[in-house]
Amino acid sequence: MSTLLLNLDFGEPPPKKALEGNAKHRYFVQKRRLLERRGFLSKKNQPPGKAPKLHSEPPKKGETPRVDGTWKTPSFPKKKTAASSNGSGQTLDKKAAVSWVTPAPSKKADSVTAKVDLLGEFQSALPKISNHPTHSQKKGLQKKSSKKNHPQKNAPQNSTQSHSENKCSRAFQKLPQKMVAIDCEMVGTGPKGHVSSLARCSIVNYDGDVLYDEYVLPPCQIVDYRTRWSGIRKQHMVNATPFKIARAQILKILTGKIVVGHAIHNDFKALQYFHPKSLTRDTSHIPPLNRKADCPENATVSLKLLTKKLLNRDIQAGKSGHSSVEDAQATMELYKLVEVEWEEHLVRNPPTD
C-alpha cells in the first residue's frame, strides 16, 4: 500500500459568518441612518452626542460623507504670503489691507485657544510703531548732549574768569557810544559868595568832541565870579542860558550814559542832580590811575597834576582861569588809560547806589 503524503494547513480559516456579519451590520447601519435623515425613523435610541440632523442640508462643495452620516470638511492649505518690494511678507487676504480693523470673533471661538489665536491675529494686524527710548535712556541722552553742548562745565574755574573778561571786553566796545565826560565852572552866590552856583558846563564824548558848552545864568545874584579859577566874567552872563533851561538840556544828555568827571560830585551838586553810581566814573578816586602817576592809591590827586604826569600836558595854567572844555577832554583821556583794568574791577565789585 503506497504511502500517502498529505499537505495539511493547520491555520484557522477566517470565520465566514463574522465577515458576513460585519458587512451586513455596516449595510444595516447605513440604511438605517439614511432612513433617519429622511425622517422615516426616530432617533430615540441614538446617543444625544451622535444624533444626526433630521433635515440636513445638501453637502457643500468639497465635503465628503462620514460613516456616521455627518459631512467632513476638508482642511484647506494656509494662505500663502507674497513678498513685497521692501522684503516684508504680507498676506493675500483682502482684510489685510485695512490693518487697523479688529477682526470679528466667530461664534465657534469659545475655547481658550480660539481666544489666544484672535489676540495674536489682532496684534499682528496693528501697525508697527517704532520703539521709543525709555525714561532712563532719555536721561542718558540728555547727559551726553549736555556734555557736548556745555563742555565748559568740566573746565577749571579759570575758564569762568576768562569768560567774564571776554564779556567785559565786549562791553567796552559799546561804552564809547554811551560815555561822556563833564566839567563845570562855578561862581559864588549867597552870603559872602560861599554858595557855589553853576556858571558854565561843558560835555565831551568819548573821542573828546564837544557835545555841549554853554554859560549858565544862576538863579541867584552873583557875588563872586571867581575868575582866577572859573574864568567867568561879567560879560559872559549877558547872553547866558537860564539855569532851569540849561539844567534840562544837560540832564537830557547825561541820562542813561556813563559820566566821567574829576571830583564829579561837585558838578552834580551844582546841577542839583544825582547820577547813579554804577554809571559814574570819578578820576579822582581810581586807584590804578594814582598808581600810574606814582601817587598813593587812596589820595585825591588834582586833575592838573595827573594830566602833567600821565599826559605830559599843562592845563589850568595862567591867571585867565580854567577852561571847562579842556578839563573835560583831559578827564576822558585819563580815564582811557585805565579803562580796561578799572571796568574789570567794577564787574567783580559793582558799586551800590
Side-chain angles (χ1 to χ4, degrees), residues 70-88:
T70 60
W71 300 96
K72 180 180 179 182
T73 305
S75 60
F76 293 96
K78 295 182 179 180
K79 297 175 182 178
K80 297 182 181 180
T81 58
S84 60
S85 59
N86 55 6
S88 61

Side-chain angles (χ1 to χ4, degrees), residues 290-341:
N290 289 3
R291 286 198 300 268
K292 284 182 175 292
D294 297 329
C295 298
E297 291 185 1
N298 297 327
T300 302
V301 186
S302 65
L303 179 62
K304 182 177 181 179
L305 181 59
L306 289 174
T307 305
K308 179 64 177 177
K309 285 190 173 184
L310 299 177
L311 301 178
N312 196 21
R313 189 167 73 238
D314 293 325
I315 61 171
Q316 301 176 357
K319 295 182 180 180
S320 60
H322 302 172
S323 171
S324 55
V325 174
E326 186 180 42
D327 291 353
Q329 291 172 342
T331 302
M332 182 62 80
E333 291 180 24
L334 289 173
Y335 169 76
K336 287 181 181 180
L337 295 178
V338 293
E339 178 182 6
V340 176
E341 184 179 357

Side-chain angles (χ1 to χ4, degrees), residues 260-295:
V260 182
H262 194 83
I264 198 170
H265 61 279
N266 295 324
D267 301 327
F268 290 153
K269 185 178 180 180
L271 285 168
Q272 300 177 9
Y273 170 69
F274 176 80
H275 199 68
K277 288 185 179 179
S278 58
L279 299 177
T280 303
R281 307 291 184 266
D282 192 347
T283 54
S284 66
H285 293 91
I286 298 181
L289 198 60
N290 289 3
R291 286 198 300 268
K292 284 182 175 292
D294 297 329
C295 298

